[in-house]
Amino acid sequence: MTEFMLGFPGPNIGFTWHGTKFGVTAVPLGGYARVCGMEPGEESPHLAGLMRVVYEHGTIDMEDAARELGISDDDAFAGLEQLVDWGTVEMPRKTDEYNTYRAPARDGYESGQAREVPDEQALYESERSQQYRSLGFFKRCAILLAGPGMNLLFAIVMFVLIYSVMGFDVVDQATNEVRHITVDPGRAIMAGFDYIGAVFIAILGLFNPQTAAETVSNSTSIVGIAVMSKSAFDAGLANFLSFSAMISVSLGLMNMLPIPPLDGGRFVIEIYQLIVRRNITTRALNALSLAGMALFIGFFILMVNQDIQRFVFGNWS
């Protein structure tokens, strides 16, 4: 795992510990985990040699790596990109004139600094042992749940901050007096779980033909989120944090839908592979992912159209 962040992918601040960067991004909605070794397809047969070449040179162009190993440029490019996904080498920078790859800053070495490789195979096995594809079933499932779990954890933290630290206003029905109160963290956490449960039930409505249309019509796209986030921000910090928590819950639970390429879809695939005791083919995985993407693109277009209509008529509720 190379990143474990609160927020959408983008500019971020944080710290690095044992090769993983922890932090907060510029858009604090939800969270994500960037896992090494989740790329589809078979491993390149040239990974061990490419690791050695990059580490011994420190910095090397793709064409030079291919020439040194006696392989094609396409094979070298595919292998180097896989190593980038593994977090084993650094990807080319925008300022590089060519496809230049670098050994990572690690074990006292700086980025792009050459180092000795006493045992090529040992280096390869050490790097591979840290990848998602080399882990056991339960560890892979835990990793898949880490991203959605960060979304839900973020929401719970926001509920505690709003209800137990910042407080909220309530109206006394007898006197119409407005009082500002706080509740203990336990009650705030329970309120968070109650909301998570309500959203979960709403998402289940997508799979009920009688309620699917209503569920979609009550949903919104990134266009609606942008408009509502501005309104929430204008209404004050507490309202914005509450809105962030609600969006995080929706993102976390939606990501658990059993549809590739979502984490929920990958989780179902892991269970299927455990039951049949063989890996699903790359062709089948790509087909499932394309079908899932087509479904979500359809939902996206539908919801964007809904949001445009709401924006035109000013019917934001």
Side-chain angles (χ1 to χ4, degrees):
M1 188 179 300
T2 55
E3 292 185 17
F4 200 76
M5 293 286 177
L6 282 175
F8 282 165
N12 59 73
I13 57 173
F15 63 94
T16 300
W17 184 64
H18 287 282
T20 301
K21 185 173 182 179
F22 299 84
V24 180
T25 71
V27 184
L29 294 175
Y32 73 93
R34 181 163 293 164
V35 182
C36 299
M38 292 187 73
E39 77 285 350
E42 300 297 326
E43 290 184 24
S44 165
H46 309 295
L47 296 184
L50 287 168
M51 285 185 203
R52 175 184 58 77
V53 167
V54 174
Y55 277 50
E56 288 182 342
H57 287 270
T59 301
I60 189 170
D61 295 340
M62 177 267 291
E63 293 84 356
D64 292 335
R67 195 159 41 245
E68 184 165 333
L69 292 177
I71 61 178
S72 69
D73 288 352
D74 288 342
D75 285 343
F77 179 76
L80 287 166
E81 286 299 299
Q82 192 166 46
L83 293 179
V84 168
D85 188 82
W86 283 20
T88 300
V89 303
E90 295 181 4
M91 67 187 300
R93 301 170 183 173
K94 293 182 179 179
T95 55
D96 291 334
E97 184 177 357
Y98 303 103
N99 289 321
T100 304
Y101 295 83
R102 294 169 176 82
R106 186 189 299 172
D107 301 327
Y109 292 95
E110 297 181 0
S111 172
Q113 183 178 358
R115 61 208 72 176
E116 293 184 3
V117 180
D119 190 330
E120 175 182 298
Q121 189 62 25
L123 173 63
Y124 164 75
E125 291 175 358
S126 173
E127 290 295 315
R128 191 184 188 283
S129 67
Q130 303 175 54
Q131 307 305 314
Y132 173 85
R133 63 170 63 223
S134 69
L135 301 177
F137 171 76
F138 291 106
K139 287 186 177 181
R140 291 200 303 269
C141 290
I143 288 173
L144 291 175
L145 296 175
M150 282 294 293
N151 287 91
L152 301 183
L153 176 61
F154 175 83
I156 294 296
V157 170
M158 290 300 101
F159 274 101
V160 172
L161 179 61
I162 294 167
Y163 293 118
S164 299
V165 179
M166 300 177 64
F168 56 99
D169 294 332
V170 296
V171 179
D172 190 317
Q173 297 297 325
T175 63
N176 286 328
E177 179 185 359
V178 178
R179 293 185 300 152
H180 190 79
I181 66 172
T182 59
V183 299
D184 63 84
R187 292 181 63 185
I189 291 173
M190 288 305 300
F193 279 111
D194 287 342
Y195 181 76
I196 291 172
V199 174
F200 178 74
I201 293 173
I203 290 176
L204 289 180
L206 288 170
F207 300 93
N208 185 342
Q210 295 180 342
T211 59
E214 181 182 358
T215 302
V216 172
S217 67
N218 291 331
S219 303
T220 187
S221 70
I222 190 66
V223 175
I225 291 174
V227 174
M228 290 187 289
S229 63
K230 182 181 184 304
S231 299
F233 183 81
D234 292 341
L237 179 60
N239 283 278
F240 180 72
L241 293 179
S242 179
F243 175 76
S244 298
M246 291 187 290
I247 294 299
S248 293
V249 170
S250 298
L251 291 174
L253 294 180
M254 287 295 290
N255 197 20
M256 285 306 298
L257 288 176
I259 304 172
L262 299 178
D263 288 336
R266 285 183 170 271
F267 182 72
V268 171
I269 289 173
E270 290 290 348
I271 294 177
Y272 171 80
Q273 292 179 154
L274 178 68
I275 293 174
V276 302
R277 298 188 179 277
R278 61 184 176 86
N279 291 335
I280 188 171
T281 64
T282 302
R283 182 176 180 181
L285 180 60
N286 290 339
L288 290 170
S289 297
L290 286 174
M293 287 299 297
L295 177 63
F296 277 99
I297 290 173
F299 278 135
F300 177 79
I301 293 173
L302 177 61
M303 288 188 288
V304 166
N305 178 64
Q306 288 180 167
D307 289 343
I308 291 174
Q309 296 301 319
R310 291 169 183 165
F311 178 77
V312 169
F313 293 105
N315 184 27
W316 291 101
S317 57

